[in-house]
Short mmCIF file of all heavy atoms in Angstrom, two decimals:
data_model
loop_
_atom_site.label_atom_id
_atom_site.label_comp_id
_atom_site.label_asym_id
_atom_site.label_seq_id
_atom_site.Cartn_x
_atom_site.Cartn_y
_atom_site.Cartn_z
N VAL A 25 0.85 -1.18 -0.02
CA VAL A 25 -0.01 0.01 0.00
C VAL A 25 0.86 1.33 0.04
O VAL A 25 0.30 2.38 -0.31
CB VAL A 25 -0.93 -0.04 1.18
CG1 VAL A 25 -2.07 -1.07 1.09
CG2 VAL A 25 -0.19 -0.06 2.59
N THR A 26 2.08 1.23 0.37
CA THR A 26 2.90 2.45 0.56
C THR A 26 3.54 2.73 -0.80
O THR A 26 4.26 3.80 -0.93
CB THR A 26 4.04 2.18 1.59
OG1 THR A 26 4.90 1.22 1.16
CG2 THR A 26 3.43 1.91 2.96
N ARG A 27 3.40 1.95 -1.87
CA ARG A 27 4.11 2.11 -3.14
C ARG A 27 3.19 2.87 -4.16
O ARG A 27 2.02 2.34 -4.46
CB ARG A 27 4.53 0.86 -3.61
CG ARG A 27 5.63 0.15 -2.66
CD ARG A 27 5.63 -1.25 -2.97
NE ARG A 27 6.67 -1.89 -1.97
CZ ARG A 27 6.59 -3.22 -1.66
NH1 ARG A 27 5.73 -3.98 -2.10
NH2 ARG A 27 7.35 -3.66 -0.79
N SER A 28 3.76 3.86 -4.62
CA SER A 28 2.95 4.65 -5.69
C SER A 28 3.32 3.96 -7.02
O SER A 28 4.20 3.05 -7.09
CB SER A 28 3.48 6.00 -5.81
OG SER A 28 4.87 6.20 -5.97
N HIS A 29 2.70 4.27 -8.10
CA HIS A 29 2.98 3.68 -9.40
C HIS A 29 2.54 4.70 -10.47
O HIS A 29 1.75 5.58 -10.30
CB HIS A 29 2.27 2.46 -9.55
CG HIS A 29 0.80 2.61 -9.15
ND1 HIS A 29 0.29 2.23 -7.98
CD2 HIS A 29 -0.44 3.03 -9.95
CE1 HIS A 29 -1.08 2.43 -8.06
NE2 HIS A 29 -1.42 2.95 -9.16
N ALA A 30 3.20 4.53 -11.64
CA ALA A 30 2.97 5.28 -12.85
C ALA A 30 1.57 4.93 -13.43
O ALA A 30 1.15 3.81 -13.29
CB ALA A 30 4.18 5.13 -13.87
N LEU A 31 1.09 5.88 -14.20
CA LEU A 31 -0.10 5.64 -14.94
C LEU A 31 0.06 4.42 -15.87
O LEU A 31 -0.96 3.72 -15.95
CB LEU A 31 -0.58 6.95 -15.70
CG LEU A 31 -1.71 6.81 -16.45
CD1 LEU A 31 -3.09 6.37 -15.50
CD2 LEU A 31 -2.01 8.10 -17.17
N GLU A 32 1.16 4.43 -16.62
CA GLU A 32 1.47 3.41 -17.56
C GLU A 32 1.28 2.07 -16.88
O GLU A 32 0.81 1.07 -17.48
CB GLU A 32 2.75 3.62 -18.18
CG GLU A 32 2.78 4.76 -19.18
CD GLU A 32 3.12 5.97 -18.29
OE1 GLU A 32 3.27 6.00 -17.07
OE2 GLU A 32 3.02 7.15 -18.89
N SER A 33 1.81 1.81 -15.74
CA SER A 33 1.74 0.51 -15.01
C SER A 33 0.31 0.14 -14.75
O SER A 33 -0.05 -1.02 -15.03
CB SER A 33 2.54 0.50 -13.77
OG SER A 33 3.87 0.80 -13.95
N ILE A 34 -0.48 1.07 -14.26
CA ILE A 34 -1.83 0.69 -13.91
C ILE A 34 -2.62 0.40 -15.19
O ILE A 34 -3.53 -0.50 -15.19
CB ILE A 34 -2.59 1.65 -12.92
CG1 ILE A 34 -3.59 1.03 -12.13
CG2 ILE A 34 -3.18 2.89 -13.70
CD1 ILE A 34 -3.12 0.18 -11.00
N GLU A 35 -2.34 1.08 -16.25
CA GLU A 35 -3.04 0.77 -17.50
C GLU A 35 -2.57 -0.58 -18.03
O GLU A 35 -3.59 -1.40 -18.57
CB GLU A 35 -2.59 1.95 -18.63
CG GLU A 35 -3.27 3.29 -18.30
CD GLU A 35 -2.67 4.29 -19.16
OE1 GLU A 35 -1.52 4.08 -19.61
OE2 GLU A 35 -3.33 5.38 -19.43
N SER A 36 -1.43 -0.92 -17.93
CA SER A 36 -0.90 -2.15 -18.44
C SER A 36 -1.51 -3.36 -17.48
O SER A 36 -2.04 -4.35 -17.98
CB SER A 36 0.54 -2.33 -18.21
OG SER A 36 1.04 -3.71 -18.58
N ILE A 37 -1.65 -3.14 -16.21
CA ILE A 37 -2.24 -4.11 -15.38
C ILE A 37 -3.80 -4.28 -15.64
O ILE A 37 -4.35 -5.37 -15.76
CB ILE A 37 -2.17 -3.69 -13.75
CG1 ILE A 37 -0.68 -3.70 -13.50
CG2 ILE A 37 -2.86 -4.68 -12.87
CD1 ILE A 37 -0.32 -3.04 -12.22
N ALA A 38 -4.48 -3.14 -15.94
CA ALA A 38 -5.97 -3.10 -16.21
C ALA A 38 -6.13 -3.87 -17.57
O ALA A 38 -7.08 -4.71 -17.70
CB ALA A 38 -6.48 -1.69 -16.34
N ALA A 39 -5.30 -3.56 -18.51
CA ALA A 39 -5.46 -4.38 -19.90
C ALA A 39 -5.28 -5.75 -19.65
O ALA A 39 -6.11 -6.67 -20.23
CB ALA A 39 -4.33 -3.82 -20.87
N ALA A 40 -4.33 -6.26 -18.87
CA ALA A 40 -4.11 -7.71 -18.58
C ALA A 40 -5.40 -8.31 -17.90
O ALA A 40 -5.79 -9.43 -18.11
CB ALA A 40 -2.92 -7.95 -17.79
N ASP A 41 -5.86 -7.46 -16.79
CA ASP A 41 -7.02 -7.97 -16.23
C ASP A 41 -8.18 -8.26 -17.13
O ASP A 41 -8.91 -9.26 -17.00
CB ASP A 41 -7.57 -6.69 -15.17
CG ASP A 41 -6.75 -6.65 -13.91
OD1 ASP A 41 -6.01 -7.59 -13.68
OD2 ASP A 41 -6.89 -5.56 -13.36
N LEU A 42 -8.37 -7.42 -18.13
CA LEU A 42 -9.58 -7.64 -18.95
C LEU A 42 -9.32 -8.88 -19.90
O LEU A 42 -10.35 -9.62 -20.21
CB LEU A 42 -9.66 -6.31 -20.04
CG LEU A 42 -10.11 -5.12 -19.21
CD1 LEU A 42 -10.05 -3.94 -20.23
CD2 LEU A 42 -11.59 -5.25 -18.72
N ALA A 43 -8.06 -9.13 -20.18
CA ALA A 43 -7.73 -10.35 -20.95
C ALA A 43 -8.05 -11.55 -20.19
O ALA A 43 -8.54 -12.52 -20.63
CB ALA A 43 -6.28 -10.26 -21.55
N LEU A 44 -7.61 -11.48 -18.89
CA LEU A 44 -7.70 -12.64 -18.02
C LEU A 44 -9.08 -12.89 -17.63
O LEU A 44 -9.46 -14.00 -17.30
CB LEU A 44 -6.76 -12.47 -16.80
CG LEU A 44 -5.28 -12.58 -17.19
CD1 LEU A 44 -4.51 -12.06 -15.91
CD2 LEU A 44 -5.03 -14.06 -17.39
N GLN A 45 -9.95 -11.84 -17.73
CA GLN A 45 -11.47 -12.09 -17.52
C GLN A 45 -11.94 -12.97 -18.49
O GLN A 45 -12.80 -13.93 -18.28
CB GLN A 45 -12.19 -10.65 -17.40
CG GLN A 45 -12.03 -10.08 -16.26
CD GLN A 45 -12.77 -8.59 -16.20
OE1 GLN A 45 -13.61 -8.44 -17.15
NE2 GLN A 45 -12.52 -7.77 -15.30
N LYS A 46 -11.48 -12.82 -19.75
CA LYS A 46 -12.04 -13.74 -20.87
C LYS A 46 -11.28 -15.08 -20.84
O LYS A 46 -11.98 -16.07 -21.15
CB LYS A 46 -11.63 -12.94 -22.26
CG LYS A 46 -12.26 -11.70 -22.38
CD LYS A 46 -11.92 -11.06 -23.78
CE LYS A 46 -12.56 -9.79 -23.83
NZ LYS A 46 -12.05 -8.92 -25.08
N ASN A 47 -10.05 -15.04 -20.41
CA ASN A 47 -9.28 -16.40 -20.37
C ASN A 47 -8.32 -16.35 -19.24
O ASN A 47 -7.23 -15.86 -19.32
CB ASN A 47 -8.65 -16.65 -21.68
CG ASN A 47 -7.81 -18.00 -21.67
OD1 ASN A 47 -7.94 -18.74 -20.81
ND2 ASN A 47 -6.89 -18.10 -22.55
N PRO A 48 -8.71 -17.01 -18.03
CA PRO A 48 -7.85 -16.93 -16.93
C PRO A 48 -6.39 -17.64 -17.10
O PRO A 48 -5.58 -17.49 -16.28
CB PRO A 48 -8.62 -17.76 -15.81
CG PRO A 48 -10.08 -17.51 -16.21
CD PRO A 48 -10.15 -17.59 -17.84
N ARG A 49 -6.36 -18.36 -18.26
CA ARG A 49 -5.27 -19.21 -18.49
C ARG A 49 -4.30 -18.53 -19.62
O ARG A 49 -3.51 -19.14 -20.28
CB ARG A 49 -5.44 -20.64 -18.98
CG ARG A 49 -5.99 -21.48 -17.73
CD ARG A 49 -6.43 -22.76 -18.19
NE ARG A 49 -5.33 -23.63 -18.73
CZ ARG A 49 -4.45 -24.18 -17.89
NH1 ARG A 49 -4.59 -24.20 -16.61
NH2 ARG A 49 -3.41 -24.88 -18.46
N ASP A 50 -4.61 -17.24 -19.84
CA ASP A 50 -3.86 -16.46 -20.91
C ASP A 50 -2.55 -16.25 -20.37
O ASP A 50 -2.25 -15.30 -19.58
CB ASP A 50 -4.61 -15.14 -21.08
CG ASP A 50 -4.09 -14.37 -22.44
OD1 ASP A 50 -2.83 -14.56 -22.63
OD2 ASP A 50 -4.82 -13.75 -23.03
N GLU A 51 -1.59 -17.02 -20.89
CA GLU A 51 -0.10 -16.99 -20.43
C GLU A 51 0.41 -15.56 -20.70
O GLU A 51 1.11 -14.99 -19.88
CB GLU A 51 0.78 -18.05 -21.09
CG GLU A 51 2.14 -17.97 -20.66
CD GLU A 51 3.04 -18.67 -21.77
OE1 GLU A 51 2.48 -19.60 -22.42
OE2 GLU A 51 4.17 -18.32 -21.72
N VAL A 52 0.13 -15.06 -21.75
CA VAL A 52 0.76 -13.76 -22.28
C VAL A 52 0.25 -12.64 -21.31
O VAL A 52 0.92 -11.73 -20.93
CB VAL A 52 0.41 -13.39 -23.69
CG1 VAL A 52 0.79 -11.91 -24.08
CG2 VAL A 52 1.02 -14.36 -24.68
N ALA A 53 -1.13 -12.64 -21.01
CA ALA A 53 -1.74 -11.77 -20.23
C ALA A 53 -1.15 -11.76 -18.74
O ALA A 53 -0.96 -10.74 -18.05
CB ALA A 53 -3.17 -11.86 -20.17
N LEU A 54 -0.90 -12.96 -18.21
CA LEU A 54 -0.37 -13.18 -16.92
C LEU A 54 1.13 -12.58 -16.78
O LEU A 54 1.53 -11.83 -15.95
CB LEU A 54 -0.29 -14.67 -16.53
CG LEU A 54 -1.69 -15.34 -16.18
CD1 LEU A 54 -1.45 -16.80 -16.07
CD2 LEU A 54 -1.99 -14.81 -14.76
N ARG A 55 1.80 -12.69 -17.94
CA ARG A 55 3.21 -12.17 -18.09
C ARG A 55 3.18 -10.69 -18.03
O ARG A 55 3.93 -10.03 -17.31
CB ARG A 55 3.88 -12.76 -19.25
CG ARG A 55 5.37 -12.39 -19.30
CD ARG A 55 5.96 -12.49 -20.74
NE ARG A 55 5.59 -13.68 -21.35
CZ ARG A 55 5.26 -13.93 -22.65
NH1 ARG A 55 5.29 -12.77 -23.48
NH2 ARG A 55 4.94 -15.08 -23.22
N GLN A 56 2.19 -10.09 -18.83
CA GLN A 56 2.00 -8.76 -18.98
C GLN A 56 1.66 -8.08 -17.67
O GLN A 56 2.20 -7.03 -17.31
CB GLN A 56 1.08 -8.40 -20.04
CG GLN A 56 0.72 -6.92 -20.26
CD GLN A 56 -0.47 -6.59 -21.05
OE1 GLN A 56 -0.82 -7.35 -21.96
NE2 GLN A 56 -1.19 -5.49 -20.88
N ARG A 57 0.76 -8.82 -17.06
CA ARG A 57 0.30 -8.15 -15.67
C ARG A 57 1.50 -8.20 -14.67
O ARG A 57 1.63 -7.37 -13.91
CB ARG A 57 -0.92 -8.95 -15.19
CG ARG A 57 -1.53 -8.25 -14.06
CD ARG A 57 -2.97 -8.73 -13.74
NE ARG A 57 -2.89 -10.10 -13.16
CZ ARG A 57 -4.09 -10.69 -12.77
NH1 ARG A 57 -5.35 -10.09 -13.03
NH2 ARG A 57 -4.09 -11.92 -12.34
N ALA A 58 2.40 -9.36 -14.82
CA ALA A 58 3.42 -9.33 -13.80
C ALA A 58 4.44 -8.32 -14.17
O ALA A 58 4.95 -7.67 -13.19
CB ALA A 58 4.13 -10.73 -13.99
N ARG A 59 4.52 -7.99 -15.42
CA ARG A 59 5.49 -6.79 -15.70
C ARG A 59 4.94 -5.47 -15.30
O ARG A 59 5.75 -4.70 -14.68
CB ARG A 59 5.60 -6.73 -17.33
CG ARG A 59 6.76 -5.71 -17.70
CD ARG A 59 6.93 -5.74 -19.20
NE ARG A 59 7.49 -6.94 -19.68
CZ ARG A 59 6.95 -7.92 -20.51
NH1 ARG A 59 5.80 -7.74 -20.97
NH2 ARG A 59 7.52 -9.14 -20.82
N GLY A 60 3.68 -5.39 -15.50
CA GLY A 60 3.05 -4.15 -15.00
C GLY A 60 3.03 -3.96 -13.46
O GLY A 60 3.30 -2.99 -12.74
N LEU A 61 2.91 -5.16 -12.67
CA LEU A 61 3.00 -5.17 -11.29
C LEU A 61 4.40 -4.87 -10.78
O LEU A 61 4.63 -4.21 -9.85
CB LEU A 61 2.33 -6.35 -10.81
CG LEU A 61 0.99 -6.69 -10.82
CD1 LEU A 61 0.58 -8.12 -10.73
CD2 LEU A 61 0.24 -5.69 -9.92
N ASN A 62 5.34 -5.39 -11.53
CA ASN A 62 6.70 -5.04 -11.22
C ASN A 62 6.99 -3.56 -11.38
O ASN A 62 7.68 -2.96 -10.54
CB ASN A 62 7.79 -5.83 -12.05
CG ASN A 62 8.07 -7.26 -11.39
OD1 ASN A 62 8.09 -7.39 -10.17
ND2 ASN A 62 8.31 -8.26 -12.27
N GLY A 63 6.49 -2.97 -12.45
CA GLY A 63 6.67 -1.63 -12.65
C GLY A 63 5.97 -0.74 -11.56
O GLY A 63 6.42 0.34 -11.22
N ALA A 64 4.93 -1.35 -10.96
CA ALA A 64 4.24 -0.62 -9.85
C ALA A 64 4.76 -0.98 -8.50
O ALA A 64 4.06 -0.63 -7.48
CB ALA A 64 2.68 -1.08 -9.86
N GLU A 65 5.88 -1.68 -8.45
CA GLU A 65 6.54 -2.16 -7.17
C GLU A 65 5.51 -2.98 -6.36
O GLU A 65 5.57 -2.98 -5.10
CB GLU A 65 7.09 -0.89 -6.37
CG GLU A 65 8.07 -0.11 -7.20
CD GLU A 65 8.62 1.10 -6.30
OE1 GLU A 65 8.75 0.87 -5.10
OE2 GLU A 65 8.89 2.24 -6.90
N GLN A 66 4.73 -3.74 -7.04
CA GLN A 66 3.90 -4.67 -6.30
C GLN A 66 4.46 -6.09 -6.56
O GLN A 66 3.90 -7.02 -7.23
CB GLN A 66 2.43 -4.62 -6.93
CG GLN A 66 1.81 -3.34 -6.72
CD GLN A 66 1.45 -2.97 -5.22
OE1 GLN A 66 1.32 -3.98 -4.47
NE2 GLN A 66 1.39 -1.77 -4.86
N TYR A 67 5.53 -6.36 -5.79
CA TYR A 67 6.41 -7.49 -6.15
C TYR A 67 5.68 -8.91 -5.68
O TYR A 67 5.91 -9.85 -6.46
CB TYR A 67 7.73 -7.42 -5.47
CG TYR A 67 8.48 -6.03 -5.95
CD1 TYR A 67 8.85 -5.06 -4.95
CD2 TYR A 67 8.64 -5.86 -7.21
CE1 TYR A 67 9.45 -3.98 -5.28
CE2 TYR A 67 9.28 -4.63 -7.59
CZ TYR A 67 9.67 -3.77 -6.67
OH TYR A 67 10.17 -2.63 -6.93
N LEU A 68 5.03 -8.92 -4.69
CA LEU A 68 4.25 -10.11 -4.30
C LEU A 68 3.28 -10.41 -5.32
O LEU A 68 3.10 -11.67 -5.69
CB LEU A 68 3.72 -10.02 -2.88
CG LEU A 68 4.71 -9.85 -1.73
CD1 LEU A 68 3.99 -9.51 -0.46
CD2 LEU A 68 5.40 -11.21 -1.53
#
């Protein structure tokens, strides 16, 4: 909760969320969301 994040990171995470809503096993979306989360310092 103490970590701020750039707009680009939250946009990337949201785009992956939408893809994973359609297909929870979308490997590319999972990887994209992991990258966005790393950018947002949400390492866990």
Side-chain angles (χ1 to χ4, degrees):
V25 295
T26 62
R27 294 160 186 157
S28 60
H29 49 265
L31 178 59
E32 293 77 8
S33 294
I34 208 73
E35 288 172 336
S36 175
I37 298 166
D41 283 341
L42 292 172
L44 288 164
Q45 281 180 14
K46 297 175 182 176
N47 177 13
R49 294 175 60 82
D50 186 330
E51 177 201 341
V52 174
L54 283 166
R55 185 202 313 144
Q56 176 188 334
R57 193 164 70 179
R59 184 176 297 115
L61 288 163
N62 271 329
E65 299 184 37
Q66 297 292 334
Y67 304 123
L68 288 169

